[in-house]
Amino acid sequence: MRSRKRTDEGYRNQRRPGGLRRSPPMHNDEMAAATTSAITSTVLAARMAAGIAPAVLDVRSGLEYRRGHVPGAVHAPFWLLPFRLPHLTALRQRPLVVYCGHGPRAWLARAVLRRHGYARVLLLAGHMRAWRRGGHEVVRTGR
């Protein structure tokens, strides 16, 4: 068997059976945007500017939230989300965008929300990192 060289992109550039090429790996931002249950930071910012934004839920810690969050985001740390659900019932019928720092907490929060009847739950593609990288407004509160 011949050895295969790795390219600069970090993936093997070889032909698979059937003549198909292996594609480069997707980054977390691209993977989240590729799903139907995600919204990009650019689209969310445009909808906010147009006044048709979905509800936004920040599931990071209190310190992370105070250091900067998406304008209009409701704060509910993911570990307290089951206890905060009664306060979020007004958001049940609206589209709801959930984000955290980079993904895992938002995925868990989305699962909890869906289990409790929140049908239209989207993730912010790339989460807070993508929001900041996109140059969108960040609101800071407290110390």
Side-chain angles (χ1 to χ4, degrees):
M1 185 171 224
R2 293 185 294 181
S3 65
R4 296 180 181 147
K5 295 181 181 177
R6 291 183 62 89
T7 64
D8 290 339
E9 292 86 24
Y11 66 97
R12 294 177 184 182
N13 192 9
Q14 80 239 1
R15 295 251 180 215
R16 287 186 170 180
L20 300 175
R21 282 192 173 267
R22 185 177 291 189
S23 60
M26 295 174 74
H27 297 287
N28 284 343
D29 301 357
E30 295 167 336
M31 285 178 20
T35 66
T36 57
S37 61
I39 185 171
T40 65
S41 61
T42 306
V43 171
L44 179 59
R47 288 186 182 175
M48 291 173 120
I52 55 170
V56 180
L57 184 65
D58 186 326
V59 295
R60 299 175 301 153
S61 70
L63 179 62
E64 290 173 301
Y65 180 80
R66 288 188 300 274
R67 286 185 176 168
H69 58 272
V70 173
V74 175
H75 183 232
F78 85 100
W79 60 88
L80 295 176
L81 191 57
F83 304 107
R84 300 258 173 108
L85 286 173
H87 304 288
L88 302 174
T89 54
L91 306 178
R92 186 174 293 224
Q93 300 305 319
R94 293 179 59 191
L96 181 60
V97 176
V98 179
Y99 73 92
C100 66
H102 64 300
R105 293 174 287 182
W107 298 332
L108 290 170
R110 178 179 62 178
V112 168
L113 289 164
R114 285 184 173 170
R115 184 163 289 232
H116 286 88
Y118 292 77
R120 297 166 41 182
V121 182
L122 305 171
L123 295 177
L124 178 59
H127 304 276
M128 192 62 187
R129 185 179 347 154
W131 184 265
R132 288 182 195 271
R133 210 177 317 136
H136 307 296
E137 179 185 0
V138 174
V139 177
R140 290 176 174 76
T141 56
R143 292 174 52 151

